[in-house]
Amino acid sequence: MYHYLRNRRNQRHFPLPFIENFLPTKHCNWPFSTFTVQTPNANPNLEAVPSNFHAHSPQRPNLLSTHNLTSTHPAAPSLDKSPPFDQNTLNDIISSNKIITSYIRSGDLSSALRVFRNMTVKTTVTWNAMLAGYSRKPGKLTEAQKLFDQIPEKDTVSYNIMLAGYVQNSDMETVWSFFNSMPSKDIASWNTMISGFAQKGAMAKARELFLAMPEKNSVTWSAMISGYVECGALELAEEFFEFAAVKSVVAWTAMISGYMKFGKIEKAERLFKEMPVKNLVTWNAIIAGYVENCRAEDGLKIFRIMLRYGIRPNHSSLSSVLLGCSELSALQLGKQVHQLVCKSSLRDDTTACTSLISMYCKCGVLDDAWKLFLETKSKDIVSWNAMISGYAQHGAGEKALHLFEEMRGEGIKPDWITFVAVLLACNHAGLVDIGVRYFDSMVKDYGVEPRPDHYTCMVDLLGRAGKLVEALDLIKKMPFKPHSAIFGTLLGACRIHKNLELAEFAAQNLLNLDPQSAAGYVQLANVYAATNKWDHVARVRRSMKDNKVVKTPGYSWIEIKNTVHEFRSGDRVHPELASIHEKLNELEKKMKLAGYVPDLESALHDVGEEQKEQLLLWHSEKLAIAFGLIVVPYGTPIRVFKNLRVCGDCHRAIKYISAIERREIIVRDTVRFHHFMGGCCSCGDYW
């Protein structure tokens, strides 16, 4: 393969006439969205086309270009095979073909068929248009076969449409048999076959066809590159990309997605900068890649640049951006995206609305999420899951379970994600018996097989309730090998209930599965510290150092006027630190007068009590809250987010602060949301 590619690279004699007529621009700024051709035979030469591309362009051979038409008009009947038509008949045919194509594009196959049947004269273009409608629609392959057999004068396009239908709706053996029976094959035929095998992960067969293919174009190379990226063979994708005669926007985008998928961010960035042409799919790939690689802030920056270029996002763009907003808790940007959705054709799009619901839930604005959920006209299972998960994360277990029952009443069948949300709701609300019943009903009543995520929820549910023996028994009964998260969850429960023996067992198993797990070391050290075994704490920390395991530093952040302010424990860099310390000292005096006693067990250092109190006072969440009290207007909730679990002392202190300052304080940690108001927390001190 390498020698073949090397030789082809040196020769570079692929016939690519479209290059002479296609001048690439730096950015393709088309109305609202751009799509990349999914069916190779639909557009064999151009890789990216605008959504409003004219239906009768000669470059759309799948519906309206055929050798039965004259070169003067894409819908004119052939002069050598069909009888001559007068101009009125010709205009009628052209008009009917346009109407059929329009109906098919809108998914109205019945109306297209009605027009088709009323036509007294049909060209091969007409037959091909109807064939495309049937062949692409799931469950209509038999009708497509019958229609194909009735076509009086089949052309290569007819065969290609049918071939694509087989690829989408049949097995590859049938596809292969039909391909071999075709009387003539063009580049689109070969591309359809290669793409079909690539989409099904059969890259060996795709490569075999690639090597046998007499003539290749950019679609051919793109199909191979995309196929290798999808099946995880990034090195082979790189090899094909390097030697591709022409690198289309699809090929560039596939490589960017591949690099992001495997965490090679710098390579993805380099390709993105070097790309001569970018379409919306390219921008979506780089934005989604940043978000998926825990660099949401960079993803949001790229999104803003994309908007400045005048490229309008689609639901895929917005889903990634809203996920980034959720991770950063960037509520203000999320609201701006919501306004963008409302002003666009996506305002009624279920996917876009669901992404907004999820964003509001994760940014702590549950009321807005619920309002949007009620306004969503068409709710799918993902929409219901997002709202049920939102209630679960906020500790509103009863509302989550009520919504689950309402979903069932609507006739929507729950999936495995639904049950993760349901079990999470039971967990945060302490509904142990109800959670066990739902877990037991998954297979029996709904046919949903429990996954590792469900077992993790159950171990957490039982462990938090102090049923550590039952949690351990459940782990032993799992039908698959326990993963690291299971033992991490058990270890967290042991920390809450100070069960040293079981904590050591859980930590050992966790570190056997994941030797670099900082959580395993830290949680075990916390258990030792809570029982004043400081020599054991020192031993764990030495082990971490010897194994080069780095603890994730705890930090909290708060968004003020589109600016995210980040704080670390004992922070020394924030410009308002003097005012923050002054506010905290003032609060500490008031809290102690109100009965607050610092929880020194939360200070996991072997130092004196006074120093422990100082360390606790400067925890990152307290610094962020103090800053919020200074700058956030009275009456506006203070929203703080932390990358680790909120400690016991901070939880206790924030309850006092909410009462003293008469403010609503919302804190999101890695476990759940805590809504503090009037000296109480929504978790009921169960978290």
Side-chain angles (χ1 to χ4, degrees):
M1 170 57 68
Y2 171 79
H3 295 296
Y4 167 81
L5 291 174
R6 183 183 60 187
N7 293 336
R8 298 299 281 179
R9 185 189 189 192
N10 292 336
Q11 294 169 21
R12 293 195 183 281
H13 61 265
F14 291 98
L16 294 166
F18 79 94
I19 290 183
E20 300 173 1
N21 303 317
F22 181 66
L23 180 63
T25 56
K26 187 174 182 182
H27 300 282
C28 306
N29 300 337
W30 293 308
F32 200 66
S33 67
T34 305
F35 72 90
T36 300
V37 176
Q38 300 297 322
T39 305
N41 64 315
N43 191 27
N45 291 325
L46 293 179
E47 291 287 332
V49 296
S51 58
N52 62 347
F53 198 71
H54 196 274
H56 290 266
S57 168
Q59 294 169 337
R60 294 297 296 270
N62 60 318
L63 291 183
L64 299 175
S65 283
T66 145
H67 66 250
N68 284 356
L69 306 183
T70 67
S71 59
T72 57
H73 195 288
S78 172
L79 297 179
D80 58 335
K81 289 191 177 182
S82 302
F85 302 124
D86 59 48
Q87 190 60 43
N88 289 335
T89 303
L90 182 60
N91 289 340
D92 289 343
I93 294 171
I94 294 172
S95 177
S96 296
N97 286 348
K98 287 181 178 179
I99 294 170
I100 289 172
T101 302
S102 176
Y103 277 132
I104 288 172
R105 284 184 173 177
S106 65
D108 190 354
L109 200 54
S110 298
S111 296
L113 183 61
R114 185 175 64 251
V115 175
F116 177 79
R117 286 173 174 168
N118 289 333
M119 291 177 67
T120 55
V121 179
K122 303 178 181 73
T123 65
T124 302
V125 175
T126 316
W127 287 92
N128 286 348
M130 283 306 305
L131 181 63
Y134 277 105
S135 66
R136 292 173 182 173
K137 194 161 187 178
K140 294 290 184 181
L141 185 60
T142 301
E143 289 88 339
Q145 291 169 327
K146 292 178 180 177
L147 189 65
F148 176 78
D149 292 337
Q150 294 172 21
I151 299 178
E153 296 180 359
K154 301 179 183 70
D155 61 6
T156 304
V157 175
S158 310
Y159 280 94
N160 284 343
I161 293 171
M162 198 64 230
L163 181 66
Y166 280 124
V167 167
Q168 293 177 21
N169 302 293
S170 186
D171 59 273
M172 290 309 293
E173 288 185 8
T174 303
V175 175
W176 182 250
S177 176
F178 184 82
F179 178 74
N180 286 327
S181 72
M182 291 174 61
S184 64
K185 305 176 183 70
D186 60 9
I187 292 180
S189 314
W190 288 87
N191 284 344
T192 300
M193 287 298 296
I194 289 173
S195 293
F197 281 115
Q199 289 166 12
K200 296 181 187 301
M203 289 308 299
K205 194 67 179 175
R207 183 175 60 195
E208 180 184 323
L209 283 170
F210 176 86
L211 293 173
M213 190 174 177
E215 187 179 348
K216 302 169 180 64
N217 65 5
S218 62
V219 177
T220 320
W221 290 93
S222 298
M224 292 299 296
I225 293 166
S226 300
Y228 279 124
V229 167
E230 283 300 313
C231 71
L234 192 59
E235 291 183 2
L236 287 171
E238 286 179 313
E239 184 178 323
F240 269 79
F241 183 75
E242 180 184 353
F243 290 100
V246 175
K247 296 177 176 65
S248 69
V249 66
V250 174
W252 286 86
T253 303
M255 287 306 304
I256 289 171
S257 297
Y259 283 135
M260 283 296 191
K261 180 179 177 181
F262 289 93
K264 299 180 182 293
I265 299 174
E266 291 183 0
K267 287 189 174 183
E269 291 172 333
R270 178 176 55 80
L271 283 189
F272 185 76
K273 291 175 183 177
E274 293 175 358
M275 279 186 74
V277 178
K278 299 177 180 71
N279 67 7
L280 180 59
V281 181
T282 314
W283 289 92
N284 287 349
I286 196 78
I287 293 169
Y290 276 127
V291 174
E292 289 165 5
N293 281 279
C294 302
R295 288 178 54 176
E297 190 171 354
D298 290 326
L300 299 186
K301 287 178 182 177
I302 291 291
F303 176 69
R304 291 189 179 99
I305 293 171
M306 184 184 90
L307 294 179
R308 284 202 292 270
Y309 273 115
I311 300 171
R312 302 185 69 183
N314 62 5
H315 64 80
S316 179
S317 325
L318 298 177
S319 294
S320 295
V321 169
L322 290 170
L323 181 59
C325 291
S326 300
E327 291 185 5
L328 295 174
S329 304
L331 179 59
Q332 295 308 313
L333 178 58
K335 287 183 175 180
Q336 291 170 15
V337 174
H338 189 176
Q339 292 175 353
L340 188 64
V341 171
C342 291
K343 294 176 183 177
S344 73
S345 61
L346 291 175
R347 60 184 174 274
D348 295 324
D349 182 81
T350 302
T351 302
C353 291
T354 301
S355 297
L356 285 166
I357 291 168
S358 182
M359 182 275 296
Y360 279 121
C361 287
K362 292 176 180 177
C363 286
V365 193
L366 203 55
D367 289 343
D368 286 356
W370 175 242
K371 181 181 177 182
L372 187 58
F373 178 78
L374 293 176
E375 293 173 352
T376 302
K377 295 179 181 178
S378 178
K379 302 179 184 69
D380 58 14
I381 183 62
V382 183
S383 309
W384 288 90
N385 287 348
M387 198 64 235
I388 294 170
S389 296
Y391 277 132
Q393 291 167 353
H394 287 261
E398 291 184 1
K399 288 184 178 180
L401 298 182
H402 176 76
L403 194 60
F404 171 74
E405 295 300 332
E406 185 179 330
M407 183 190 81
R408 288 181 58 221
E410 294 284 338
I412 297 176
K413 184 180 179 181
D415 61 10
W416 72 273
I417 297 175
T418 315
F419 279 103
V420 171
V422 167
L423 295 176
L424 193 64
C426 295
N427 184 5
H428 290 330
L431 304 173
V432 180
D433 293 337
I434 295 175
V436 171
R437 285 203 299 270
Y438 274 120
F439 181 76
D440 292 339
S441 72
M442 285 175 56
V443 176
K444 182 175 61 177
D445 297 338
Y446 303 98
V448 177
E449 292 289 340
R451 301 190 181 196
D453 288 347
H454 301 113
Y455 280 96
T456 302
C457 286
M458 288 302 297
V459 169
D460 200 20
L461 175 70
L462 296 168
R464 284 181 190 277
K467 298 178 181 257
L468 296 174
V469 175
E470 289 91 330
L472 183 59
D473 288 341
L474 182 64
I475 293 174
K476 292 177 180 178
K477 293 176 183 177
M478 285 173 58
F480 35 74
K481 184 179 179 181
H483 58 307
S484 58
I486 286 281
F487 290 110
T489 302
L490 181 62
L491 181 56
C494 293
R495 179 191 56 78
I496 294 172
H497 298 287
K498 301 178 182 178
N499 188 317
L500 186 56
E501 182 181 354
L502 195 52
E504 290 175 334
F505 166 81
Q508 186 60 54
N509 280 277
L510 171 58
L511 295 175
N512 286 340
L513 291 169
D514 184 6
Q516 294 300 305
S517 171
Y521 290 99
V522 173
Q523 291 271 40
L524 183 59
N526 289 352
V527 176
Y528 286 138
T531 54
N532 292 316
K533 293 183 178 293
W534 296 108
D535 55 332
H536 288 66
V537 172
R539 188 185 69 203
V540 171
R541 288 175 176 165
R542 279 197 304 271
S543 181
M544 284 185 71
K545 186 175 181 180
D546 294 341
N547 291 300
K548 298 180 180 179
V549 177
V550 180
K551 175 188 173 184
T552 302
Y555 60 90
S556 301
W557 67 97
I558 183 172
E559 183 186 11
I560 307 293
K561 295 180 180 179
N562 278 329
T563 300
V564 175
H565 296 261
E566 185 179 299
F567 297 88
R568 296 180 184 271
S569 294
D571 200 297
R572 298 179 183 275
V573 297
H574 196 278
E576 300 295 328
L577 204 57
S579 299
I580 292 169
H581 283 170
E582 183 180 347
K583 183 67 176 178
L584 281 176
N585 290 333
E586 172 195 323
L587 284 171
E588 184 185 32
K589 293 175 184 177
K590 291 181 179 179
M591 286 191 297
K592 286 184 175 179
L593 286 174
Y596 163 74
V597 177
D599 179 9
L600 299 183
E601 285 188 4
S602 297
L604 303 173
H605 297 276
D606 189 14
V607 295
E609 288 190 3
E610 186 176 341
Q611 192 173 352
K612 281 186 177 183
E613 287 191 24
Q614 188 63 62
L615 290 171
L616 290 172
L617 186 63
W618 288 356
H619 270 193
S620 64
E621 50 265 63
K622 290 194 185 81
L623 295 170
I625 288 170
F627 181 61
L629 290 170
I630 295 169
V631 299
V632 176
Y634 185 81
T636 302
I638 296 170
R639 305 177 194 278
V640 170
F641 306 87
K642 186 172 183 179
N643 70 325
L644 301 175
R645 184 181 186 273
V646 64
C647 81
D649 179 72
C650 285
H651 190 272
R652 178 185 298 178
I654 298 168
K655 288 195 293 182
Y656 279 97
I657 293 171
S658 69
I660 292 167
E661 295 288 322
R662 297 180 181 178
R663 300 292 295 267
E664 180 183 3
I665 302 172
I666 301 170
V667 178
R668 187 189 83 179
D669 64 9
T670 54
V671 178
R672 57 170 295 157
F673 276 90
H674 299 266
H675 293 252
F676 298 91
M677 184 180 290
C680 299
C681 179
S682 59
C683 73
D685 296 336
Y686 185 87
W687 87 103

